[in-house]
Structures are given as C-alpha cells and as structure tokens.
C-alpha cells in the first residue's frame, strides 16, 4: 500500500476508533491534496479531521495547515449519503422488506439487530454501485463496538443466509479486521477473513473517482442516434464481476438494474 493510503487509514483509525498504530508519514503537498481527494470521495472528512487533530501535538508529524483548513471545510459540508437498505433482486428485495416489516412487530423484536442488518445491506449496495463505502464500514464498526452486545447474532445470521449475503457481510467485517484493528470475536458473522478483502479495498480506493454507477451508459444525440459509453459500461461490468462470487444474485440483478435504468434515462 502506498504512503497516501497509509496516512489515510492512520487518520481514520485515530479519528473513528481512537487508535494509533504508528505515525503519519511526511508527504509532498501534491500527495496531501491527493489524500484530501480520497477523503472527499469516501465521504469521511469528519473522521479524518478528528484523526488529524489527534496528531497535531505529535512533534514527529507535520500535517500542512492548508490541508487541515481544506479538511475542515469538507467536514462542515459532509453529508451521510449512504445507499438505502434495499436490494435490487426482486425475490431478495421482497424477503428483505418482509424481514424489516415483520421484525418491527415481532414479540422478540430486536431493533438493534435490524439496524445492523440495514447497515450491512446499505454497504452492499454501495460496494456494487461505487466501491467500498468506508463511511458505512466505519459506521458498522462503531455500532458493533458500542451496541454489539445488544445484537442477536443468531437472528442476524439467519437473515443474512436467507438474503444470500453471508459472504458480503463477511467481506465488510474483514475490512474492520484488516484496517481498523478489530478482533474476529467482535464480529460474530465473520467465520473467516476474506483473503481478497484488502486487495478489493485498495483497488476501490484507486478507482473511486472515475468508477461510479452514476455515469451515463447511453446518450441520445441531437440526430436521434443512441450512443453508449463503453468505458463506463466495461468498468461497471468489471466491478460486478469482482463481487459476483460473494453475492451472485444481487450482483447480477444490480448490474441489470443500472443498465436498464441508464436506458430509460436517455437524454432527449
């Protein structure tokens, strides 16, 4: 991992979980600006700012004032843009809605467990549409640390199995273990760490800027001909293929959904 990403995770680890595993490495102003871009893309400015302040009295660390000023402005403008907890596959989406509705009226209802499920599902959508949603991963980690003792993990495991999301949830948990110093016993739905988790995360960070599902696939020219953006289409297909082994049904359905949506929104 390069120096920019090392500093990125050092700031997040300190800011989100009050942990320091090392120091911040010195960088050129260009690299600090590149780090700021990654922070903005991942929507984690508030965590990074808190982390930067945690290092401000460290004599070995010299974080540029210009970086702190820009980061402060980003944090002030930051909004939680998490994906809604829904699934695009018709059958799995209906199962999820049934779980969400039935749990609210169940005698043994566990709203904390449902809340955690919704975070996991929201992160799944984020991964399929944009890449690893680190803000959502941190949100899940914070909830596990603060409310994990209130979660019915047997019930959660049952829900994840019915939604075919066990491995996607395990992938999310693996990032907490790899990058945020979580212990495996803090995340009961992680039976074993996903070996490709760190590689997928690094690839996502490297391509977040251009690799999004929001870009158009098709546009209609003034002459009436429809043109497709093959570069974006290929990127979205490659991203889908990276996750297809973790959640085949939802991954395929999500790609088809985005593909169909882009067709229906052809500019006139």
């Amino acid at each position: 991992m390069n120096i920019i990403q090392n500093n990125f995770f050092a700031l997040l680890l300190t800011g989100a979980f009050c942990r320091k595993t090392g120091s911040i490495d010195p960088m050129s102003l260009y690299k600090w600006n590149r780090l700021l871009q990654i922070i903005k893309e991942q929507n984690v400015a508030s965590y990074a700012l808190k982390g930067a302040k945690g290092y401000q009295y460290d004599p070995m660390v010299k974080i540029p004032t210009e970086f702190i000023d820009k980061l402060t402005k980003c944090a002030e403008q930051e909004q939680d843009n998490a994906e809604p907890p829904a699934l695009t596959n018709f059958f799995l989406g209906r199962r999820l809605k049934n779980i969400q509705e039935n749990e609210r009226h169940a005698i043994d209802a566990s709203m904390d467990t449902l809340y955690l499920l919704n975070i996991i599902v929201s992160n799944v959508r984020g991964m399929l549409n944009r890449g690893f949603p680190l803000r959502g991963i941190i949100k899940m980690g914070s909830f596990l640390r603060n409310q994990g003792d209130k979660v019915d993990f047997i019930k959660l495991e049952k829900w994840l199995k019915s939604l075919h999301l066990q491995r996607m949830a395990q992938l999310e948990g693996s990032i907490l273990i790899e990058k945020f110093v979580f212990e495996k016993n803090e995340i009961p739905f992680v039976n074993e760490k996903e070996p490709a988790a760190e590689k997928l995360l690094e690839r996502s960070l490297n391509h977040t800027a251009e690799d999004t599902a929001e870009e158009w696939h098709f546009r209609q020219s003034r002459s009436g001909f429809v043109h497709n953006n093959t570069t974006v289409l290929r990127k979205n297909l490659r991203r889908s293929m990276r996750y297809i082994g973790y959640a085949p049904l939802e991954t395929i359905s999500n790609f088809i959904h985005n593909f169909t949506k882009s067709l229906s929104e052809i500019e006139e």
Side-chain angles (χ1 to χ4, degrees):
M1 183 179 292
N2 61 42
I3 188 174
I4 297 175
Q5 290 188 14
N6 280 336
N7 284 349
F8 174 68
F9 284 107
L11 291 178
L12 292 186
L13 182 61
T14 302
F17 300 109
C18 300
R19 291 284 300 273
K20 287 186 178 181
T21 58
S23 186
I24 299 294
D25 296 316
M27 299 192 299
S28 65
L29 185 57
Y30 169 81
K31 289 184 177 179
W32 280 110
N33 286 330
R34 177 59 186 140
L35 173 57
L36 182 67
Q37 184 182 2
I38 295 174
I39 291 169
K40 290 170 65 177
E41 290 166 357
Q42 287 292 330
N43 198 34
V44 291
S46 56
Y47 296 118
L49 178 61
K50 186 177 179 181
K53 289 181 177 179
Y55 282 99
Q56 64 182 344
Y57 299 114
D58 189 332
M60 301 300 294
V61 177
K62 294 183 180 180
I63 302 178
T65 302
E66 180 182 339
F67 173 80
I68 297 292
D69 292 341
K70 291 180 179 179
L71 187 57
T72 301
K73 291 181 180 179
C74 290
E76 291 172 349
Q77 300 170 357
E78 191 172 70
Q79 296 180 346
D80 190 352
N81 58 358
E83 297 277 0
L87 296 171
T88 54
N89 180 273
F90 175 78
F91 298 104
L92 298 184
R94 188 165 62 179
R95 283 184 194 175
L96 176 61
K97 287 181 180 179
N98 287 338
I99 290 171
Q100 293 167 333
E101 184 63 27
N102 293 339
E103 188 63 16
R104 295 186 181 97
H105 302 96
I107 296 176
D108 63 339
S110 173
M111 301 313 293
D112 290 296
T113 307
L114 183 61
Y115 183 77
L116 179 56
L117 175 69
N118 285 336
I119 293 176
I120 292 171
V121 172
S122 177
N123 287 342
V124 168
R125 292 199 67 189
M127 274 190 274
L128 295 179
N129 290 325
R130 288 183 174 81
F132 265 95
L134 274 179
R135 185 181 179 90
I137 299 295
I138 291 172
K139 183 178 181 180
M140 182 176 74
S142 297
F143 183 78
L144 286 168
R145 282 269 167 90
N146 298 316
Q147 304 286 111
D149 60 325
K150 298 178 181 179
V151 174
D152 184 339
F153 286 102
I154 295 177
K155 182 178 286 190
L156 178 66
E157 191 72 29
K158 179 182 177 182
W159 290 343
L160 291 173
K161 184 177 181 180
S162 70
L163 298 171
H164 299 276
L165 294 179
Q166 304 105 303
R167 285 200 66 194
M168 282 295 251
Q170 190 162 265
L171 184 60
E172 295 177 32
S174 296
I175 295 302
L176 290 175
I177 295 172
E178 292 287 347
K179 295 299 181 186
F180 297 108
V181 202
F182 271 66
E183 297 293 334
K184 187 171 173 289
N185 60 15
E186 293 182 89
I187 319 172
F189 54 83
V190 175
N191 297 315
E192 58 182 357
K193 288 194 299 183
E194 291 291 347
E198 189 170 6
K199 182 178 179 180
L200 285 168
L201 174 59
E202 289 183 22
R203 183 164 187 162
S204 177
L205 290 176
N206 289 333
H207 296 284
T208 296
E210 67 273 14
D211 189 21
T212 69
E214 293 296 317
E215 296 177 86
W216 56 269
H217 296 167
F218 297 89
R219 278 186 178 171
Q220 187 172 3
S221 66
R222 292 181 179 180
S223 61
F225 291 101
V226 175
H227 304 277
N228 69 311
N229 186 333
T230 56
T231 300
V232 174
L233 191 60
R234 285 196 301 270
K235 286 180 179 178
N236 289 334
L237 180 58
R238 284 198 298 267
R239 181 178 54 244
S240 296
M241 292 304 295
R242 289 197 290 272
Y243 295 108
I244 198 167
Y246 298 92
L249 292 176
E250 179 59 18
T251 300
I252 293 171
S253 297
N254 187 78
F255 178 77
I256 293 174
H257 170 78
N258 289 338
F259 183 84
T260 304
K261 182 180 177 182
S262 64
L263 280 175
S264 66
E265 294 179 351
I266 292 175
E267 294 182 1
E268 295 182 359

